[in-house]
Amino acid sequence: MAIAPTFLRTLSSSVRIFPPIISPLVAPQNSVLPPIHHRRAFRLKGVSLVEKRKLGCCGVKASMATTAAEKGGDKKKVEVFDTEEDLAVSLAKYTADLSEKFSKERGAFTVVLSGGSLIKSLRKLLEPPYIDSIEWSKWHVFWVDERVVPKDHVDSNYKLAYDGFLSKIPLLPGNVYAINDALSAEGAADDYETCLKHLVKINVIDLSAASGFPKFDLVLLGMGPDGHVASLFPGHPLLKENEKWVTFIKDSPKPPPERITFTFPVVNSSAYIALVVAGAGKAGVVQTALGNSQNSDKLPVQMVSPEGELTWFLDKAAASKL
């Protein structure tokens, strides 16, 4: 079924805001879903990757996780879960805790989504206790990148998020910020940046005092099998873009070719970043990114270094080569 969001208001000359809650598929705020018994992930604090291998932590009982604090003083943690299910349970609690924190501190919670399997990993937020306890009215949802296709197109990150997540939570109308897909890639990028600047001006999005770029509360990132994040691909000139907030790409090595994307200065100005990676197919890239690789050419995922805190959420398969 094609998505036909309703035009609500204009922040810039053409940015349109599409509320997912107009869908008849939306779960009412007081809806009751079948109860799920969550098992809290157990974390071994301060365990290095070397020590983890010695302890054999990846072989512990299901739903247990290991946390590795990276050396060098940077705010980076690596959590490894026995299964993707356990990863999803922990990611839900992590997101819900940050939602509560920023909703109380700022009166808003700015969340940036990516495409791929990330949306599936958020599924536990649609179950008790989170579906009924999170202040969804405080959420403002953005995309770290988007394909320049219609919103009902199979390649649309908006459609992916809408079908799998946004249509099932009671967000306020106007708090979901999709690109204007009627524009060219360049026009859509400029338009989205104008939208972000307006939201910074009215204090919906925080501004980094250190960088001068928007400071989102939480960026939820996936990673491609080539180590790309957002639409920032290995070896591409956009990796060096340090002035624009949002830019565009017309020659994406992964189809569709035309996309918009946040730049690294925006990604790295974030308060919190969750890098969610599951599956054995990405184990080699995880090893390169987190191991002792001597390769002088950094993968895009290795350039993720937020102003705040970075947490890797890995299942055992993705971490199998560490």
Side-chain angles (χ1 to χ4, degrees), residues 27-276:
Q29 194 157 5
N30 59 353
S31 63
V32 178
L33 300 179
I36 301 294
H37 299 287
H38 293 276
R39 292 177 294 177
R40 183 172 297 178
F42 174 75
R43 302 176 181 180
L44 300 178
K45 296 293 184 181
V47 180
S48 71
L49 291 171
V50 174
E51 290 167 334
K52 177 167 68 67
R53 286 196 290 268
K54 291 179 179 178
L55 291 171
C57 293
C58 284
V60 296
K61 187 177 179 181
S63 87
M64 291 188 177
T66 66
T67 299
E70 295 293 310
K71 296 180 180 179
D74 58 349
K75 301 174 184 177
K76 177 162 60 178
K77 296 188 296 183
V78 179
E79 297 190 355
V80 180
F81 298 88
D82 269 5
T83 67
E84 191 276 336
E85 176 78 2
D86 297 327
L87 183 159
V89 170
S90 182
L91 183 64
K93 184 178 187 307
Y94 173 87
T95 304
D97 287 348
L98 289 178
S99 175
E100 181 179 11
K101 166 185 165 64
F102 285 105
S103 294
K104 288 180 177 178
E105 291 177 2
R106 300 183 55 243
F109 182 44
T110 53
V111 184
V112 181
L113 303 178
S114 55
S117 59
L118 185 278
I119 299 301
K120 179 185 175 184
S121 297
L122 295 176
R123 65 188 181 275
K124 293 298 179 181
L125 288 171
L126 305 176
E127 301 173 358
Y130 307 117
I131 187 64
D132 300 313
S133 62
I134 288 176
E135 287 190 86
W136 298 108
S137 64
K138 306 293 187 184
W139 280 46
H140 293 259
V141 178
F142 305 84
W143 277 264
V144 71
D145 71 325
E146 178 58 287
R147 290 87 178 269
V148 185
V149 295
K151 290 180 180 63
D152 59 355
H153 193 281
V154 66
D155 288 330
S156 168
N157 283 339
Y158 172 87
K159 175 176 169 56
L160 177 66
Y162 179 92
D163 291 347
F165 183 61
L166 298 179
S167 63
K168 299 173 173 60
I169 56 179
L171 297 179
L172 286 182
N175 283 13
V176 176
Y177 305 88
I179 73 165
N180 187 339
D181 55 10
L183 300 175
S184 66
E186 183 176 7
D190 289 344
D191 197 56
Y192 209 62
E193 181 167 323
T194 299
C195 170
L196 300 188
K197 288 181 176 178
H198 175 82
L199 293 171
V200 166
K201 186 176 180 179
I202 64 175
N203 297 319
V204 170
I205 302 174
D206 205 357
L207 189 69
S208 167
S211 70
F213 286 89
K215 184 174 184 177
F216 290 94
D217 299 330
L218 173 61
V219 176
L220 294 156
L221 285 179
M223 182 193 74
D226 60 353
H228 84 264
V229 292
S231 286
L232 299 166
F233 294 92
H236 198 279
L238 288 186
L239 298 181
K240 299 179 181 179
E241 174 59 57
N242 58 13
E243 294 184 1
K244 288 183 174 294
W245 292 13
V246 184
T247 191
F248 67 98
I249 179 173
K250 289 188 173 182
D251 57 350
S252 167
K254 179 180 179 182
E258 295 196 353
R259 302 157 176 244
I260 74 161
T261 183
F262 283 6
T263 59
F264 267 122
V266 172
V267 172
N268 287 336
S269 292
S270 305
Y272 291 86
I273 294 179
L275 240 168
V276 183

